[in-house]
């Protein structure tokens, strides 16, 4: 019997299996940020175990509240900063050099095919786009990872998603993953790996694959994962060119991290996305999805473009294309946060920042703050935000607020109109389609 990519990674990193269905794996990377890691640091200090397993394999960033907004968040940053200094962690991205964790770490080449990665953050699954097993963990697992470089997992059952067809103009990775979450349900992939394959994935660039894997957790998955291919090698080439004689050699090596044709899956689901149209959330769960057309006319108070899901340069380019020579509607607040300093500079050089500012957007530094209602875009009770973030839980971006998740294209169009609507990228070239026409396997 063949093996899935997740099983291959588990086999290559297995240290021991002390109990049935329990696998202790060696870790290639432990990622840390200032919200969840200080708790682990303080506990390790109290236990007399203020150590790190490998300072080169631990990567650290301050990204959720940056710069600090009050004494509490300043203290969290200080704990992380002092800890990184104590242990000579060279890859520490402090204020001014910092970016959203799941954007800046792959941008720096820290994730490779076949890697095992953990972080005290549920959207760590983003890094599965590179053919890695990446998972968010709790404080105890994070502490063990920091101290020993290992983590315990259950058997990696895998659900294979074969995404067929060709996406229509104006339909993006965010629409695809929202539809998948609707199809599976928020608990449909619990304790499983979501393996994304098929023509749609093959046509996606790495940024789109990261968007897809980023929200695998919203269907309950431990991780999302894509096969490494030529696009993976191209993205990583500046970081791996001294390890391989050619891109072909790198691709051959990375091809070991592809599932076998006869691998055993928990489930195999084939979806034809040819008729998919832009979608958005309407309630307080990520699987509560309607088409943007069905939601057209829904009033919003704020539009937010950014986050580890949709704050990359391709997202900004799409939004700028729609916003050029346009202005946001009266009474609308619009915020955009490039996910890393490199993306911010790139957007500056390409004239995108000017487009956003001319349109009336507030452009902020790279931060996760708005996504979880901590800073830089919190909404008030009763307010509505059209957002490119990844969660629409009740109170997620502010107590008593409503969040509608959507693509950057839909968000930009919504900012111009002042209500949810399709982008001209879609409406100018497409007829009317219905999400109901797509057949769900359940």
């Amino acid at each position: 019997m063949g093996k899935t990519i997740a099983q291959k990674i588990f086999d290559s990193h297995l240290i021991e299996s002390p109990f049935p269905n329990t696998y202790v794996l060696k870790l290639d990377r432990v990622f840390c940020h200032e919200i969840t890691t200080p708790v682990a640091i303080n506990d390790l200090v109290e236990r007399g175990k203020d150590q790190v397993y490998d300072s080169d394999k631990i990567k650290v960033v301050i990204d959720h509240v940056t710069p600090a907004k009050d004494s509490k968040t300043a203290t969290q940053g200080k704990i992380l900063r002092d800890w990184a200094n104590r242990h000579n962690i060279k890859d520490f991205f402090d204020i001014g050099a910092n970016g959203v964790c799941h954007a800046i770490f792959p941008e720096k080449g820290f994730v490779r095919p076949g890697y095992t990665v953990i972080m005290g953050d549920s959207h760590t699954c983003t890094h599965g786009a590179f053919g890695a097993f990446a998972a968010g963990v709790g404080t105890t697992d994070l502490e063990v990872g920091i101290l020993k470089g290992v983590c315990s997992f259950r058997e990696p059952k895998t659900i294979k998603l074969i995404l067929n067809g060709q996406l229509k103009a104006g339909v993006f990775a965010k629409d695809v993953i929202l539809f998948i979450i609707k199809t599976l349900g928020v608990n449909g992939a619990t304790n499983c790996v979501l393996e994304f394959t098929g023509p749609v994935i093959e046509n996606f660039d790495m940024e789109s694959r990261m968007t897809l894997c980023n929200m695998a957790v919203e269907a309950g998955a431990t991780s999302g994962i894509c096969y490494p291919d030529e696009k993976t090698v191209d993205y990583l080439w500046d970081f791996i060119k001294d390890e391989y004689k050619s891109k072909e050699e790198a691709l051959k090596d990375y091809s070991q991290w592809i599932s076998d044709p006869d691998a055993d899956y928990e489930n195999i689901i084939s979806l034809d996305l040819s008729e998919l149209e832009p979608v958005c959330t309407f309630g307080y769960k990520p699987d509560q999805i309607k088409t943007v057309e069905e939601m057209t006319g829904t009033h919003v108070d704020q539009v937010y473009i950014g986050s580890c899901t949709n704050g990359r340069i391709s997202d900004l380019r799409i939004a700028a294309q729609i916003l050029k020579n346009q202005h946001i509607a009266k009474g609308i607040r619009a915020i955009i946060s490039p996910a890393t300093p490199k993306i911010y500079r790139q957007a500056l050089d390409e004239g995108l920042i000017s487009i956003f500012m001319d349109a009336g957007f507030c452009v902020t530094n790279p931060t996760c703050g708005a996504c979880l209602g901590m800073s830089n875009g919190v909404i008030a009770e009763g307010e509505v935000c059209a957002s490119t973030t990844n969660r629409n839980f009740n109170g997620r971006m502010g107590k008593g607020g409503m969040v509608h998740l959507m693509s950057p294209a839909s968000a930009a169009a919504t900012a111009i109109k002042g209500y949810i609507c399709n982008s001209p990228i879609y409406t100018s070239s497409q007829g009317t389609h219905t999400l109901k026409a797509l057949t769900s396997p359940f």
Side-chain angles (χ1 to χ4, degrees):
M1 179 65 70
K3 296 182 179 181
T4 66
I5 178 174
Q7 289 172 325
K8 290 181 178 184
I9 294 173
F10 269 51
D11 286 351
S12 67
H13 289 75
L14 182 64
I15 296 174
E16 62 176 340
S17 182
F19 309 106
N21 197 30
T22 302
Y23 301 84
V24 179
L25 305 184
K26 176 181 65 176
L27 297 174
D28 294 299
R29 293 287 185 266
V30 175
F31 293 157
C32 303
H33 62 55
E34 90 283 9
I35 298 302
T36 56
T37 308
V39 178
I41 292 169
N42 287 341
D43 191 57
L44 287 169
V45 170
E46 289 176 9
R47 293 170 180 268
K49 298 181 181 297
D50 183 23
Q51 303 167 34
V52 300
Y53 84 104
D54 189 329
S55 59
D56 288 334
K57 293 182 179 180
I58 295 175
K59 313 297 181 181
V60 187
V61 67
I62 293 176
D63 66 348
H64 278 62
V65 183
T66 169
K69 66 175 182 177
D70 53 27
S71 296
K72 181 179 179 180
T73 52
T75 299
Q76 286 177 291
K78 186 178 188 303
I79 292 169
L80 200 66
R81 190 176 294 116
D82 291 347
W83 173 72
N85 287 335
R86 280 200 307 275
H87 297 293
N88 299 311
I89 297 172
K90 63 178 182 178
D91 292 315
F92 171 53
F93 302 95
D94 207 338
I95 310 299
N98 56 340
V100 175
C101 54
H102 306 310
I104 198 167
F105 290 153
E107 182 183 272
K108 297 291 184 180
F110 295 155
V111 187
R112 310 285 171 81
Y115 270 18
T116 50
V117 181
I118 66 166
M119 185 177 195
D121 188 290
S122 57
H123 294 104
T124 306
C125 49
T126 306
H127 308 289
F130 292 84
F133 176 80
V137 297
T139 302
T140 301
D141 285 333
L142 181 61
E143 287 185 39
V144 174
I146 289 170
L147 185 64
K148 297 292 185 178
V150 302
C151 192
S152 177
F153 296 97
R154 295 180 181 179
E155 180 185 0
K157 296 179 180 179
T158 299
I159 297 173
K160 183 176 184 177
L161 288 161
I162 306 170
L163 306 183
N164 295 307
Q166 183 173 346
L167 298 182
K168 293 180 177 295
V171 178
F172 299 95
K174 184 64 160 287
D175 302 301
V176 172
I177 189 58
L178 286 173
F179 175 66
I180 288 171
I181 295 166
K182 173 187 171 69
T183 302
L184 296 175
V186 292
N187 298 313
T190 300
N191 296 326
C192 290
V193 173
L194 281 182
E195 183 179 292
F196 299 106
T197 68
V200 171
I201 303 302
E202 292 167 8
N203 289 329
F204 273 169
D205 59 19
M206 290 307 298
E207 296 193 351
S208 295
R209 294 177 191 180
M210 281 187 265
T211 293
L212 202 69
C213 289
N214 174 270
M215 292 188 67
V217 69
E218 308 308 335
T222 302
S223 185
I225 201 162
C226 299
Y227 298 160
D229 60 9
E230 294 92 341
K231 292 178 181 178
T232 315
V233 172
D234 287 342
Y235 186 99
L236 291 171
W237 186 244
D238 284 345
F239 307 102
I240 64 174
K241 59 187 177 183
D242 293 332
E243 301 172 24
Y244 299 99
K245 294 179 181 178
S246 66
K247 290 184 178 181
E248 290 73 23
E249 183 181 282
L251 180 61
K252 182 178 179 180
D253 183 29
Y254 289 162
S255 294
Q256 67 181 293
W257 307 114
I258 293 176
S259 295
D260 296 324
D262 58 341
D264 184 37
Y265 290 95
E266 188 75 2
N267 199 358
I268 299 176
I269 301 168
S270 183
L271 298 171
D272 185 349
L273 302 180
S274 299
E275 295 302 314
L276 181 64
E277 65 174 288
V279 297
C280 66
T281 58
F282 66 87
Y284 292 112
K285 296 196 302 178
D287 63 352
Q288 294 179 306
I289 307 298
K290 291 183 179 181
T291 66
V292 172
E293 182 179 337
E294 290 175 288
M295 294 289 287
T296 296
T298 303
H299 170 76
V300 302
D301 300 285
Q302 177 174 293
V303 171
Y304 183 82
I305 299 174
S307 83
C308 60
T309 315
N310 285 121
R312 297 179 179 84
I313 190 63
S314 57
D315 301 309
L316 272 57
R317 286 170 179 156
I318 291 165
Q321 178 183 346
I322 294 163
L323 290 162
K324 189 173 184 179
N325 300 321
Q326 300 290 331
H327 200 277
I328 63 174
K330 184 178 181 180
I332 293 292
R333 306 187 306 275
I335 301 166
I336 192 157
S337 176
T340 70
K342 179 181 178 180
I343 294 167
Y344 199 126
R345 185 179 295 277
Q346 206 169 349
L348 275 170
D349 292 343
E350 294 180 17
L352 308 185
I353 299 299
S354 292
I355 291 173
F356 296 133
M357 295 184 72
D358 289 345
F361 269 71
C362 168
V363 182
T364 81
N365 60 290
T367 175
C368 300
C371 179
L372 71 168
M374 296 191 74
S375 64
N376 286 47
V378 179
I379 57 176
E381 186 171 357
E383 287 193 318
V384 179
C385 182
S387 179
T388 69
T389 52
N390 44 47
R391 285 199 170 137
N392 58 328
F393 299 164
N394 193 352
R396 172 71 175 181
M397 291 185 75
K399 184 179 179 180
M402 167 65 78
V403 180
H404 297 293
L405 305 178
M406 61 186 67
S407 74
S410 298
T414 296
I416 295 168
K417 294 292 188 181
Y419 54 80
I420 293 176
C421 62
N422 268 316
S423 74
I425 298 175
Y426 179 76
T427 56
S428 64
S429 59
Q430 309 300 328
T432 300
H433 309 282
T434 62
L435 192 61
K436 302 181 188 70
L438 289 166
T439 302
S440 168
F442 300 109

